[in-house]
Amino acid sequence: LNECYGTDQKAIFDKLIEEQNELYDAVNTGDMSKIKDEASDMLAVLVRYCNNQGWTVQELLEMAIDKAEQRKINPNYKR
């Protein structure tokens, strides 16, 4: 993806916002095919952004799981 879209972090983040809006619009149509297509686009851009930061998907998922578990004990954890 970097070959197609470059590695400028601001540009990638702007693309992520664009994809978020497209996913939002797709959700409003209720068309699961469109929703799936736009979700895949958003995920691809997000993964690219994170990879360019040196973060792995596994690392991020583990962080999210840990945060969810900790918030069961302390609702203000990492807020």
Side-chain angles (χ1 to χ4, degrees):
L1 289 171
N2 286 341
E3 291 175 12
C4 296
Y5 302 108
T7 58
D8 178 73
Q9 298 305 302
K10 171 79 167 77
I12 295 169
F13 191 75
D14 289 344
K15 182 69 173 168
L16 182 61
I17 298 300
E18 176 186 324
E19 296 300 343
Q20 174 198 352
N21 291 334
E22 291 175 4
L23 177 58
Y24 180 85
D25 291 343
V27 167
N28 284 329
T29 72
D31 181 334
M32 290 307 292
S33 177
K34 282 184 176 182
I35 294 168
K36 185 178 181 180
D37 181 58
E38 296 304 338
S40 72
D41 290 348
M42 186 171 175
L43 180 60
V45 174
L46 180 58
V47 167
R48 182 168 61 112
Y49 179 85
C50 293
N51 283 340
N52 286 344
Q53 301 302 317
W55 309 327
T56 67
V57 171
Q58 181 174 343
E59 170 189 10
L60 296 173
L61 289 174
E62 288 171 0
M63 287 176 66
I65 291 167
D66 179 63
K67 187 187 297 183
E69 291 296 320
Q70 293 296 324
R71 284 188 178 165
K72 289 178 184 176
I73 300 164
N74 175 3
N76 293 316
Y77 181 75
K78 289 193 176 182
R79 291 204 190 253

